[in-house]
Amino acid sequence: MTSDIPIYQQIRNEIVFGVAKGHMKAGDLLPTVRQLAADIGVNPMTVNKAYALLREEGIIVIDRRHGAQISNRGMNGNAFDANFDQQVELLISEARMKGASKQDIQKHISDIIDRVYE
């Protein structure tokens, strides 16, 4: 993992991408904190922080007996809350500041949507 994004955030994002693209579904078990940390070569506290964030967001549930698993709570929730709108508006504003036209942004976002829904 090479990025300016903190490792715990990258782990969180990869799990979100996996769920969104259908590679993981509600009820699927995640590796234990220690197992995932060993697999990707990071400190277990980093994975623990990612799992805690995912739990706060309702993306996973953590049960002492069964471990961490993908939640089904978020599947029927409100996807377009104020946080979503704020994040999208910020990204669009940044793209516009960098010179992208409205049509460029629409085409780019449409391409990203197509990738997620493949």
Side-chain angles (χ1 to χ4, degrees):
M1 296 188 181
T2 58
S3 170
D4 291 337
I5 300 171
I7 294 171
Y8 78 90
Q9 189 72 47
Q10 292 179 51
I11 294 168
R12 179 254 179 217
N13 292 349
E14 287 300 317
I15 291 171
V16 169
F17 290 145
V19 173
K21 293 181 178 183
H23 302 295
M24 292 186 271
K25 58 186 180 301
D28 284 354
L29 291 173
L30 296 174
T32 65
V33 168
R34 290 182 191 273
Q35 183 62 55
L36 183 56
D39 289 348
I40 61 176
V42 300
N43 187 308
M45 292 304 293
T46 302
V47 175
N48 197 42
K49 189 172 182 178
Y51 280 15
L53 181 60
L54 289 162
R55 185 183 63 217
E56 288 174 17
E57 296 173 334
I59 297 168
I60 67 170
V61 292
I62 298 175
D63 181 291
R64 288 180 187 250
R65 293 174 293 155
H66 304 291
Q69 61 186 51
I70 304 299
S71 169
N72 63 0
R73 288 187 307 172
M75 308 301 177
N76 300 319
N78 180 12
F80 303 113
D81 60 10
N83 185 46
F84 178 89
D85 292 349
Q86 185 179 22
Q87 289 184 30
V88 171
E89 187 174 348
L90 178 61
L91 291 172
I92 292 170
S93 297
E94 289 174 0
R96 185 176 185 191
M97 283 179 20
K98 294 176 181 175
S101 71
K102 184 175 181 178
Q103 292 75 26
D104 291 340
I105 295 169
Q106 288 173 329
K107 169 78 171 86
H108 194 78
I109 290 174
S110 179
D111 290 345
I112 292 170
I113 291 169
D114 289 344
R115 275 199 315 256
V116 170
Y117 280 90
E118 284 181 344

